[in-house]
Amino acid sequence: MLKNVLDYLDNSVEKYPNKIAVADEHNSFTYSQLKEKAERIGAGLLNVTSPRMAVPVYMDKSCNALAIFMGAVSAGCFYVMLDPSHPVERINMILETLGATFMVVDEKSAKKQAKLGFTGKVLSVEELLEHEVTDKDKKMLLQIRQEALDIDPLYSIFTSGSTGVPKGVIVNHRSVIDFIDYFTSTFNITDKDVIGNQAPFDFDVSVKDIYSTLSTGATMQIIPKKMFSFPTTLLDYLEERKVTTLIWAVSALCIVTTLNGFEYKRPSAINKVIFSGEVMPIKHLNAWREQYPDAMFVNVYGPTEITCNCTYYIVDRDYELDETLPMGKAFPNERVFLLDEEDKLIEPTMQGKIGEICVTGTAVTLGYFNNWEKTNQAFVQNPLNNKYNEIIYRTGDLGYYNNDGQLCFSSRKDFQIKHMGHRIELGEIEMAINAIDNVLRACCIFDKDANKILGFYEGDTDKKTIMHELMQKLPKFMIPSEFIQVEMPITKNGKIDRNVLMENYKANK
């Protein structure tokens, strides 16, 4: 039984020592090389840290970044990826939350790091990779490994906080191993696969790329961020690297179809497309499925707090533009259920009734690092169980069961509004707009100050057409007061950036 993700690496080294484990635009490591580099880094870290401490990694995603992750784990620590493109203030808040006394940089990120004002020790990955591993180091690393527990933290990912202070979700080895074993078996990810990594390494979608690769002996091709602005370059890269598996944010897939990428090239090896992060617009899903009729398409759902995903739906039929793609069913060893406003269970037979999506199981993470207040708000005792301790995570997302008893996503709790005396789900309006011809993507925001719904959309459709179409589908009180044609801003994690939409809207008033 596995209890540490290094068991994945060891097993793959044994089976595929000379196979490429990971490659980026400029570099690649075989499984043997990755293990050897991880050992060097782990030994180098012994002088500055101790088990179960954070190893902040300040650089862009790369082969070296993955080697640092494995090195941190070798030293019994957990890693925290910090994106150099993020504001200095945010990085400093994270370092302060971690109580960091050191951080790891590479040659490229070192100049930016100097502007942080960080007073701790700064380690160079290039120097760590040159560390000579002594017998004493080997003995210490072995002892750390033998004493490790599967509940030890593996990584922390910092999500945005409502108070402006980032929250660090802390995830242990047991949760990742439990999830990844089911994830790879459910979607038949094997050593024959080449996984095209789209997500930044400080975003939990990348966890699926990394550990699906290491656990199966697959190869991970790290796709440079810049390529997602140039679909022709992106598609060339996917073809050259023979990528078979895309585990991408919805927005990344939509970029390809929005910019008509398939008119240029159709990468030949793709056979699995697994998407998450937002509701997948049906017209974009249909465009991808038209290109890859024999591929597996999967809608997965779940926040960082439950280790990547808790539900999945393998698309098994064609969907009309105004249909809702189900969230599907829970992954094995996870229980996903709906609670109403009085914390009563909503049964699958109560079709259409909306409740908060809640999750329990091994995948539920350890909470927020050094933030008991927020942890205790979201990670709570199951109100349906008063017999023994059972922690659930309240996602803050709303869902319902459709006529087939399948779980469907409705919207965020924060996106459920009260307007003109009616309770409205903004997600329902967005879906209706997305179904209109020539609308590429839509986003609705409630402007509390002006007490009106704003409909932002990207595409060539004129506002009168949108209004006319919505009048056929929605009650009048749900139709936005204003439609704004935009080029949809996207966050680093591939979601529509609602804050930027509102900032631009107000600036242009």
Side-chain angles (χ1 to χ4, degrees):
M1 181 177 174
L2 306 186
K3 67 171 187 174
N4 188 300
V5 296
L6 292 176
D7 295 336
Y8 282 154
L9 180 56
D10 288 346
N11 291 343
S12 289
V13 168
E14 194 175 319
K15 291 179 184 174
Y16 317 104
N18 301 315
K19 185 180 178 187
I20 297 296
V22 59
D24 57 31
E25 195 177 10
H26 308 293
N27 206 356
S28 66
F29 298 156
T30 65
Y31 274 98
S32 291
Q33 288 171 331
L34 180 59
K35 181 177 179 178
E36 184 256 338
K37 290 172 191 298
E39 187 177 58
R40 285 179 183 269
I41 292 169
L45 292 173
L46 293 176
N47 298 321
V48 295
T49 188
S50 55
R52 290 174 293 284
M53 299 296 286
V55 176
V57 183
Y58 184 76
M59 63 181 71
D60 292 329
K61 64 179 184 176
S62 63
C63 293
N64 278 348
L66 182 58
I68 298 169
F69 291 177
M70 295 300 103
V73 177
S74 297
C77 301
F78 66 95
Y79 57 86
V80 186
M81 189 71 172
L82 305 174
D83 188 331
S85 69
H86 280 191
V88 167
E89 185 182 355
R90 186 176 198 272
I91 298 294
N92 283 333
M93 279 194 286
I94 293 173
L95 291 170
E96 187 179 337
T97 300
L98 293 171
T101 57
F102 73 95
M103 65 194 302
V104 185
V105 302
D106 61 8
E107 193 176 334
K108 183 181 173 186
S109 63
K111 290 178 183 176
K112 283 190 176 181
Q113 184 280 326
K115 298 175 183 176
L116 293 176
F118 180 65
T119 57
K121 193 173 180 63
V122 179
L123 305 176
S124 154
V125 63
E126 288 83 7
E127 289 181 12
L128 285 170
L129 286 169
E130 295 299 318
H131 182 87
E132 291 293 336
V133 184
T134 66
D135 288 342
K136 183 182 176 183
D137 289 337
K138 288 184 177 180
K139 187 176 179 182
M140 181 67 76
L141 291 175
L142 179 61
Q143 183 180 344
I144 288 171
R145 182 81 173 268
Q146 289 172 338
E147 293 176 357
L149 304 178
D150 64 357
I151 57 169
D152 287 340
L154 170 61
Y155 64 83
S156 182
I157 287 178
F158 278 77
T159 63
S160 60
S162 56
T163 60
V165 179
K167 298 178 300 186
V169 181
I170 188 97
V171 186
N172 64 28
H173 289 254
R174 179 197 291 176
S175 293
V176 171
I177 290 168
D178 184 72
F179 172 71
I180 287 295
D181 285 354
Y182 289 123
F183 185 83
T184 53
S185 61
T186 301
F187 306 131
N188 194 31
I189 298 172
T190 71
D191 62 289
K192 303 293 189 295
D193 280 305
V194 178
I195 297 173
N197 161 254
Q198 168 262 323
F201 279 5
D202 62 341
F203 186 35
D204 71 345
V205 175
S206 70
V207 172
K208 292 175 280 190
D209 295 330
I210 292 168
Y211 293 105
S212 293
T213 298
L214 297 182
S215 69
T216 62
T219 294
M220 180 170 74
Q221 293 286 348
I222 298 173
I223 305 168
K225 178 184 175 182
K226 63 188 178 186
M227 289 188 179
F228 287 89
S229 301
F230 303 98
T232 53
T233 310
L234 172 63
L235 294 168
D236 282 339
Y237 201 78
L238 295 177
E239 179 61 30
E240 287 163 12
R241 306 280 173 130
K242 299 301 177 193
V243 169
T244 66
T245 305
L246 308 181
I247 308 171
W248 285 10
V250 164
S251 290
L253 294 171
C254 290
I255 285 168
V256 174
T257 41
T258 296
L259 299 178
N260 302 314
F262 290 127
E263 291 180 9
Y264 167 72
K265 182 171 286 184
R266 175 191 174 278
S268 58
I270 294 170
N271 57 39
K272 288 180 279 291
V273 181
I274 302 169
F275 49 89
S276 62
E278 290 178 291
V279 175
M280 179 65 159
I282 298 298
K283 65 180 63 172
H284 291 277
L285 173 62
N286 290 346
W288 273 89
R289 290 187 75 217
E290 189 178 334
Q291 295 296 324
Y292 296 99
D294 298 324
M296 177 191 291
F297 285 82
V298 189
N299 180 29
V300 292
Y301 160 84
T304 305
E305 287 86 346
I306 52 80
T307 315
C308 302
N309 302 127
C310 54
T311 70
Y312 70 96
Y313 172 69
I314 299 174
V315 181
D316 58 359
R317 66 174 178 85
D318 293 333
Y319 276 78
E320 298 299 322
L321 296 183
D322 58 353
E323 282 191 280
T324 298
L325 203 60
M327 290 165 58
K329 60 184 179 181
F331 279 95
N333 205 32
E334 298 187 56
R335 183 175 301 124
V336 181
F337 54 98
L338 302 180
L339 292 178
D340 67 15
E341 291 179 347
E342 296 177 350
D343 281 347
K344 299 288 193 297
L345 182 67
I346 296 176
E347 301 280 1
T349 52
M350 303 176 183
Q351 292 158 359
K353 185 172 182 181
I354 290 175
E356 182 176 11
I357 301 168
C358 298
V359 188
T360 184
T362 300
V364 173
T365 60
L366 300 174
Y368 302 115
F369 188 82
N370 200 18
N371 191 337
W372 289 109
E373 181 187 354
K374 293 295 181 185
T375 297
N376 293 334
Q377 284 175 9
F379 296 83
V380 300
Q381 173 64 23
N382 186 351
L384 304 176
N385 179 1
N386 60 5
K387 303 293 192 299
Y388 55 86
N389 191 40
E390 182 189 0
I391 298 298
I392 68 169
Y393 175 68
R394 305 190 75 125
T395 66
D397 290 334
L398 299 173
Y400 63 93
Y401 294 103
N402 65 15
N403 292 337
D404 296 323
Q406 294 172 310
L407 190 60
C408 295
F409 179 81
S410 174
S411 69
R412 283 289 298 168
K413 250 183 169 180
D414 347 5
F415 300 162
Q416 186 183 69
I417 63 168
K418 197 77 176 284
H419 183 52
M420 298 172 65
H422 300 274
R423 182 167 288 166
I424 297 170
E425 299 291 344
L426 294 177
E428 185 179 348
I429 308 172
E430 290 172 354
M431 192 176 77
I433 300 174
N434 274 322
I436 297 170
D437 286 344
N438 298 319
V439 170
L440 299 175
R441 298 205 71 183
C443 175
C444 292
I445 298 176
F446 184 58
D447 185 345
K448 292 180 183 175
D449 298 334
N451 192 33
K452 63 182 180 182
I453 300 171
L454 303 173
F456 297 90
Y457 72 97
E458 183 175 359
D460 297 332
T461 310
D462 63 272
K463 298 171 187 180
K464 284 185 179 177
T465 301
I466 294 176
M467 177 72 81
H468 176 73
E469 292 279 340
L470 293 186
M471 294 289 282
Q472 319 300 314
K473 299 178 179 180
L474 300 174
K476 194 171 182 180
F477 62 81
M478 288 182 70
I479 295 177
S481 307
E482 196 175 336
F483 293 98
I484 306 98
Q485 191 174 20
V486 296
E487 187 171 321
M488 206 63 78
I490 303 298
T491 68
K492 184 179 76 70
N493 292 345
K495 298 182 182 182
I496 293 173
D497 197 324
R498 294 168 183 268
N499 291 332
V500 170
L501 279 175
M502 282 305 291
E503 285 168 11
N504 293 344
Y505 171 77
K506 288 178 177 176
N508 293 325
K509 288 302 284 181

